[in-house]
Amino acid sequence: MRTLMFVLALALAGLVNSPVAAEIVSRSENAFTLKFQGPTRLGPAGVADAFSEVDLWWDPAHSYTGDAANLGLDLAPGGCWCEAMPDGTRFDHGRVMSAVYGEVRLHAPFGPLRDVATRADLIVTYPLVDGVVTPTWTFVVEGPGVGALAEPVDGVIGGGFARWIAHMDARAAAL
């Protein structure tokens, strides 16, 4: 519900011009699955590039340094969603498991999930259907007691999805 409220607030602010659907698909004591979906005006050829520009769309409040400019995402298999830390080290937020046209899979135990998740897979798809690209994020998390984290994780990941859609639409408008 928080995610939907956040997306509605973004829409009212003019940051998201397309409907974004968000839901907790399933939840148990030791697992949850989140799904986010919404169309973008950006063509399929630009979606992966826009996803890799995480420093331009991720909320800096959900980084360890407080500065999204410190984030990077290498979409090659094994590539890192990393954050450059002030001491010169890099914090590994996630790893690309596979990247093919239309789909990126990451093992991404963001934030508090790192200590408890045995699985934290973010699957990003962006099919072109009837001339419209409709990206989807599916986030599957498993581990002891993680079901209690579904709502707060839904808020953070849903906010990231909405910001990514807004980033893609801004790129499309600039073309």
Side-chain angles (χ1 to χ4, degrees):
M1 185 64 162
R2 281 190 209 170
T3 299
L4 191 52
M5 297 296 283
F6 177 78
V7 171
L8 289 173
L10 285 176
L12 291 173
L15 296 174
V16 175
N17 297 318
S18 56
V20 174
E23 68 176 304
I24 298 174
V25 175
S26 65
R27 176 182 27 202
S28 67
E29 180 181 343
N30 298 316
F32 63 86
T33 299
L34 309 175
K35 184 176 180 181
F36 309 92
Q37 185 173 40
T40 179
R41 294 186 300 257
L42 188 64
V47 172
D49 285 341
F51 185 63
S52 72
E53 297 171 333
V54 65
D55 57 316
L56 300 178
W57 55 265
W58 190 257
D59 185 349
H62 296 292
S63 68
Y64 287 110
T65 61
D67 187 351
N70 292 323
L71 296 170
L73 175 56
D74 175 2
L75 289 182
C80 187
W81 179 321
C82 285
E83 183 170 355
M85 304 304 286
D87 66 2
T89 62
R90 291 169 35 118
F91 186 85
D92 185 335
H93 291 283
R95 288 284 170 172
V96 175
M97 298 179 333
S98 65
V100 297
Y101 188 81
E103 181 181 280
V104 177
R105 290 179 174 260
L106 298 104
H107 174 68
F110 300 113
L113 297 175
R114 179 161 303 284
D115 293 332
V116 294
T118 57
R119 176 182 182 194
D121 294 342
L122 178 63
I123 300 105
V124 178
T125 59
Y126 47 99
L128 178 64
V129 178
D130 296 328
V132 177
V133 177
T134 305
T136 300
W137 285 4
T138 305
F139 195 37
V140 180
V141 180
E142 298 171 354
V146 298
L149 299 173
E151 277 85 8
V153 173
D154 178 60
V156 172
I157 302 300
F161 183 82
R163 291 171 68 94
W164 178 52
I165 293 288
H167 173 65
M168 287 190 290
D169 286 348
R171 281 187 68 177
L175 296 177

